Amino acid sequence: MLIEIRWHGRGGQGAVTASNLLAKAASYENLWAQSMVFFGAERRGAHVFAYTRISDNVIKYHHYVHKPDYVIVLSPQLIDQYNVTSGLKENGTIIINYSGDKSKIKERYNSKWKIAVVDATQIAIDLDLLVAGIPVVNTIMLGAFSKVSGVPKIEFVEKAIREFWTGEIAEKNVKGAVEAYKKVNII
């Protein structure tokens, strides 16, 4: 098994942290994992790419993911600004933070890929997961990924989150991941 994931986010949304947490959670499941990042203009709000690779065997190469199995989009505006599905494998899956009409997303990406949506922004707002007033959806999207892919199990996502943060912040992030795990829709 080899799963390659490309994260699309904006600076400040936590794509890099999510990629790192996913790799950590996979390691708790006794899988091999690596996380990499690509920054453009390093400023809050700029487009950020992060990459995660998970395998049941040693991963012997370290390069960006060009043909991902999964694409995770943290900011719904990015789907109109960038070709987020570039290189996505034919039977790949796109997981989008999206609150709009699901039929529009289904029509946009038609039958080429599997599509999963979750309103991560609303979950973040409801849980007060905000930094400088901006919803932070990274751990929420981790929960959605866990449900859609089955790897890693949600309890390992929770463990990775609790290892990264403590106290109330950790618990809010865990609650967001679990909420997304329950609410993500495959369309």
Side-chain angles (χ1 to χ4, degrees), residues 32-94:
W32 297 88
Q34 57 184 219
S35 174
M36 296 151 286
V37 64
F38 173 80
F39 289 102
E42 295 182 33
R43 67 184 194 283
R44 185 170 296 280
H47 191 191
V48 173
F49 299 93
Y51 307 93
T52 315
R53 195 172 278 122
I54 300 170
S55 178
D56 53 1
N57 292 306
V58 174
I59 303 168
K60 295 184 179 183
Y61 48 90
H62 301 275
H63 55 76
Y64 296 137
V65 172
H66 301 288
K67 297 220 175 263
D69 300 287
Y70 292 88
V71 168
I72 303 171
V73 183
L74 277 61
S75 175
Q77 293 80 18
L78 292 174
I79 63 174
D80 292 324
Q81 297 170 348
Y82 299 95
N83 181 8
V84 296
T85 57
S86 174
L88 182 60
K89 291 179 183 170
E90 190 170 318
N91 292 320
T93 302
I94 181 169

Side-chain angles (χ1 to χ4, degrees), residues 127 129 161-162 165-176:
L127 293 172
L129 282 170
I161 291 169
R162 286 188 177 110
W165 290 288
T166 59
E168 183 182 359
I169 296 297
E171 295 313 309
K172 283 182 181 183
N173 279 280
V174 164
K175 194 171 185 178

